Amino acid sequence: MQLFNTLTRKIETLQPLNPPHVNLYTCGPTVYDYPHIGNWFAYIRWDSLVRTLLASDLKPDWVMNITDVGHLVSDADEGEDKLEKGARREDKTAWDVAEFYGNYFVQGLQRLNIVMPGRITKATEHIAEQIELVQKLEEKGFTYVISDGVYYDTSKFPRYRDFARLDIEEQQAGARVEYNTEKRNPTDFALWKFSPKDRQRDMEWDSPWGKGFPGWHIECSAMSMKYLGSTLDIHTGGIEHIPVHHTNEIAQSEAVTGKPFSRIWLHSNHITVNGEKIAKSAGNGITLEDIESRELPLAALRLHILESHYRSQSKFSWESLEAAQNRLNGLQAMAALRWQPVTIDRDESAAIKTTALAILADMQNDLNSPAALAKLSALQNHLETALLSASELEAFEHFLSLLDNLFGLGLMNQPDVSVQQKQLIAERQTARDTKDWPLSDQLRDQLADQGIAVRDTAHGPIWYKI
RNA sequence: GGCGCCGUGGCGGAGUGGUUACGCAGAGGUCUGCAAAACCUUGUACACCGGUUCAAGUCCGGUCGGUGCCUCCA
């Protein structure tokens, strides 16, 4: 398995510390609002990673967090807590907001047929672990306290800028945002924030430094190390996390353990909608509900996403989603062939197996799903030309099974047509044999009303669902 | 302003120096009772200008354009 490692900016071979286990941590959502397709985009990517690991006989131990406290409106620890803000918007408590959108997110994973992480951990359920980690940092002299919280002194961690490869001094000189001037360095970040003195937060806890709540970054370090150990095999997240969130995770984790925090870092690029980035201010945050209201299956979104590479910036438009749906329909027509092998003297099981291996190899090559789908199309066209012989059925079903394991499109979920429908297909063929075209066409219309299309081949009628 | 990324046919999207993946859509054709599917053909695709090379979409430099993070938002 080859993966592009952000740490080295190179393609590397995955070498798990404890094979066949692969310790995998994914930065999950901040649950304060409905996710849009840009959010889901990343999780479908990591689903591909996990599915490829599984298909490669590896055992991913996958932990994903849910940020339900501490993520401030600005990633640079300024502004208010997103959860508290969401609570005010909806006239609920932050706890209610976290509960609602947390559940909604997990249901979304299921709706998108994303492999469920082994553990989904909530920041609010790991406050003690986070306090403990801050204490360790304090013991090692990485922290200092100012009026609004406990901060990490990034100047004490010489490798701080290595991960993002940014010239921090230059960057800050041009930044158009003001930062808390009490901080020793512009890049210093909060480990623990104090509750405001003038009002009570919905979410706050006692700590050795005073009542407050954990900083955004510390949760990922605390939870990933608790469940997966001090060195991860793979840590994933969106590219926006490279300069701040992941840089900070590395700084605080490695300062405590003295070991590499993660051996491989994977980052997924973003998706644009009609050429523009998805942003609250642009109002282009398409949701799963928007897709379903247009009667497009979520599997089409999945396929659309897999048509581009996870490190490329991808484009979304309704037109391209419909194109993906048409492609999906074609794949389902191919999958329907497994219910209707024909009698021909031919066996290309070997070709099917070769394609299966090539597709798996593409996915193992830094999740090259577009290349894998191209190989799939080549075989698909071939099979539909020649149809499927009974001798090829076993290899074909294994093939479909692999496709479903890798891509999660549910090609094998499609059932056979009913006995009655088979009867109609047979009657239509009889009508054709006797050249009773009106009856034949009437039966075809009847089947179409039931969502079944029929095409006539040299080997008899073949159905597929429309 | 700093640090990046990208510019491929109508749309989307791969391309690891050497017969222009693939998908969707379009045109013509073969086949077909009709249809569908499939197949064949077709569209002067590699932003522009230099350079390296026997050979460049692919490497190097520059120009123009777009875009990402730092700044609500993944």
Side-chain angles (χ1 to χ4, degrees), chain A residues 252-267:
Chain A
Q252 62 199 6
S253 305
E254 299 190 358
V256 167
T257 66
K259 297 174 189 168
F261 178 46
S262 181
R263 287 152 63 90
I264 291 183
W265 288 83
L266 293 190
H267 290 98

Side-chain angles (χ1 to χ4, degrees), chain A residues 77-78 146-151 180 182 190 192-195:
Chain A
D77 296 327
E78 307 288 339
I146 56 178
S147 62
D148 71 341
V150 181
Y151 280 76
N180 186 335
E182 282 185 72
W192 185 265
K193 294 270 283 191
F194 301 138
S195 293

Side-chain angles (χ1 to χ4, degrees), chain A residues 61-65 116-121 126 223 226-227:
Chain A
D61 294 327
W62 190 16
V63 174
M64 184 190 290
N65 74 302
M116 210 38 74
R119 248 178 226 285
I120 295 180
T121 64
H126 298 81
M223 294 190 286
K226 171 174 182 177
Y227 295 111

Side-chain angles (χ1 to χ4, degrees), chain A residues 122 127 140 150 154 156 172 350 452 465:
Chain A
K122 293 182 179 177
I127 300 297
K140 289 176 182 282
V150 181
T154 52
K156 301 261 171 77
Q172 290 301 328
I452 309 287
K465 300 202 175 167

Side-chain angles (χ1 to χ4, degrees), chain A residues 402-418:
Chain A
L402 173 75
L403 293 181
D404 275 352
N405 288 342
L406 281 176
F407 303 128
L409 297 172
L411 298 178
M412 286 193 93
N413 296 350
Q414 179 178 239
D416 199 354
V417 291
S418 68

